[in-house]
Structures are given as structure tokens and as C-alpha cells.
Amino acid sequence: MAVLAAGLGAAIVPAGSASAAISTGRIQLCSQGNYASRWFYENAQYGSAHAGWVNPGECQTIDVPDFGNLWRFSVQGRYNTSDNTFLMRTAGNGAEMRMSSTTSGRKFASLGTTAADGHYWIEYPNG
């Protein structure tokens, strides 16, 4: 599987900026648990990629790759006691979501703690 590197524009900012609207074709992840998290995304035609780690208390906004196709996004977490990672579940929506470069911008947060296996991600209402 090819790794996609092009088309990823990222900005890391403090978590307080999660209140601003996210523009079309962009997706934001705020790490609000006690662990780092990141986007993992893939497309059958173009391969897969991941964004950089977002430390607890920070947010990262990335551009959805502009190839005219839907991308499947999921969130990975990293234990705060090792370099091991885990796939997070969503609150009510399974383990992934789909987006394209023309989809309305969306905001998400990774929540919970790794100690209690209570880690998951949720979507913020955009407005």
C-alpha cells in the first residue's frame, strides 16, 4: 500500500481553538484525553497516510486530500506509557467516517483515558 504524503496541510494549535468553524475540505482533531491521537486515512486508489501526533490539550487541522474521492478516516491513539497504538472507537458511529475535499469541515475530539480503556472520539457540532 502506497503512503500518501502530498496534500496534507496541518496546523497544530492549543485545544481552545476548537470553537472556530472549520472550512470546507478540512478536518480537525483535538486530543482531550490523557494520550496523543492522530488521524489515519486511506483510499483504495491512492493508499493510506496519517497525520502527526496531536498531544493532549492540542488540536490539529488538516486538509482532506484533493483527489475527488472519499477518504476513510479513523483515529489512532498512543498509550502514554509506551509507543504502542490503538484504534479508537467513535461515540455511536462505529470506528470510521468518510470525507472528501468538498465535504463541509468537521471537528472531532479524542476523549477518555487509556488506563480504563475508555478512549473514543466524538464529533463536535459545527456552527
Side-chain angles (χ1 to χ4, degrees):
M1 190 179 324
V3 175
L4 176 75
L8 177 65
I12 297 179
V13 295
S17 65
S19 62
I22 304 301
S23 59
T24 299
R26 294 179 59 90
I27 187 169
Q28 182 180 74
L29 177 64
C30 295
S31 283
Q32 295 180 347
N34 73 340
Y35 53 91
S37 57
R38 70 179 175 189
W39 286 115
F40 175 79
Y41 49 105
E42 58 190 331
N43 174 288
Q45 184 175 358
Y46 296 104
S48 64
H50 56 78
W53 290 107
V54 183
N55 292 320
E58 293 182 344
C59 296
Q60 180 185 67
T61 304
I62 65 171
D63 296 320
V64 175
D66 186 19
F67 295 109
N69 295 305
L70 285 176
W71 289 81
R72 185 171 52 209
F73 283 84
S74 56
V75 176
Q76 293 177 325
R78 182 177 62 204
Y79 288 99
N80 54 12
T81 56
S82 72
D83 285 335
N84 293 333
T85 62
F86 52 90
L87 181 64
M88 298 171 62
R89 64 184 187 277
T90 64
N93 294 329
E96 63 185 44
M97 49 120 358
R98 296 179 186 271
M99 255 188 100
S100 76
S101 61
T102 60
T103 304
S104 295
R106 297 168 88 172
K107 300 183 250 186
F108 296 84
S110 59
L111 304 172
T113 173
T114 59
D117 193 30
H119 37 268
Y120 60 93
W121 54 295
I122 62 166
E123 182 174 1
Y124 286 125
N126 290 323

